Amino acid sequence: MARPRKPLLSTDRIVAAARTLVDAEGLAAVSTRRLAAELGVSGPSLYNHFRTKDQILEAVADSVSAQVDLSMFEDGRDWRTALHDWAVSYRAALRDHPNIVPVLARGPGRRPAGLRLADAVFGAMVAAGWPAAQATSIGAVMRYFVMGSALSSFAGGFVDDETAYDPADYPHLGQAHLLAEQQEKIDERAFETGLAALLEGFASQYAGLRE
């Protein structure tokens, strides 16, 4: 009876394995030797697809960018609603893969999905009537905000020990030890609060363009 054939090594398989490794253990865990072991292949075989570890991480980053929904820029939603819905989708993708955010933060470079994302946002803002310079700034501000929200948790930065925040030293942090247990709820609300403030500010500027 013939042995079952191993799945052929492919770019997609390598990227998927690397993404799983980054999610579980962080960027430092990725190496060609480790990936080869995870995939059950020899190390040199990876070089037929990627020359360096950095190329693999770039591909992982782009695979995460590809998870961001861009349909809101094509289905007739007004620019403000589209920007909100895109930011929510963008944050969801980064929240699922926070360890790759430092690579994404370098900018899209030559990554196809990252470039499509930037192109969609800029194009939609210009089509809505924003001058090109301001459309660029909006894209930058949104990227700073979304990536920052994915990099760390405000609520998770406090310990759940009520003795850690002595009222004599921190008179306004008497309930801070309760934040950690509601981390997801608090961080979600903070994101929506910040996003609403940004969009309101953009809307005010937009109204000024029409005066």
Side-chain angles (χ1 to χ4, degrees), residues 157-182:
F158 295 89
V159 298
D160 60 359
D161 178 2
E162 62 182 326
T163 66
Y165 308 107
D166 190 330
D169 297 319
Y170 315 107
H172 305 296
L173 297 181
Q175 301 297 306
H177 65 284
L178 300 175
L179 295 177
E181 66 183 33
Q182 301 184 56

Side-chain angles (χ1 to χ4, degrees), residues 64 67-69 84-98 101 146-147 149-150 188 191:
V64 173
Q67 296 175 15
V68 182
D69 184 14
H84 173 277
D85 295 348
W86 167 74
V88 170
S89 178
Y90 194 10
R91 179 173 178 257
L94 301 190
R95 186 180 54 202
D96 289 343
H97 308 282
V101 173
V146 175
M147 287 193 176
S149 74
E188 188 69 29
F191 175 77

Side-chain angles (χ1 to χ4, degrees), residues 70-167:
L70 300 177
S71 65
M72 65 284 298
F73 298 120
E74 302 169 352
D75 62 10
R77 274 173 263 190
D78 66 272
W79 70 266
R80 183 171 174 174
T81 301
L83 208 56
H84 173 277
D85 295 348
W86 167 74
V88 170
S89 178
Y90 194 10
R91 179 173 178 257
L94 301 190
R95 186 180 54 202
D96 289 343
H97 308 282
N99 291 338
I100 199 63
V101 173
V103 179
L104 286 163
R106 300 172 191 165
R110 297 176 182 272
R111 299 193 298 267
L115 289 170
R116 283 193 294 272
L117 189 155
D119 182 72
V121 175
F122 178 79
M125 294 306 102
V126 170
W130 286 97
Q134 286 176 278
T136 298
S137 295
I138 288 172
V141 169
M142 295 299 291
R143 192 166 71 88
Y144 300 153
F145 175 67
V146 175
M147 287 193 176
S149 74
L151 275 173
S152 63
S153 162
F154 173 78
F158 295 89
V159 298
D160 60 359
D161 178 2
E162 62 182 326
T163 66
Y165 308 107
D166 190 330

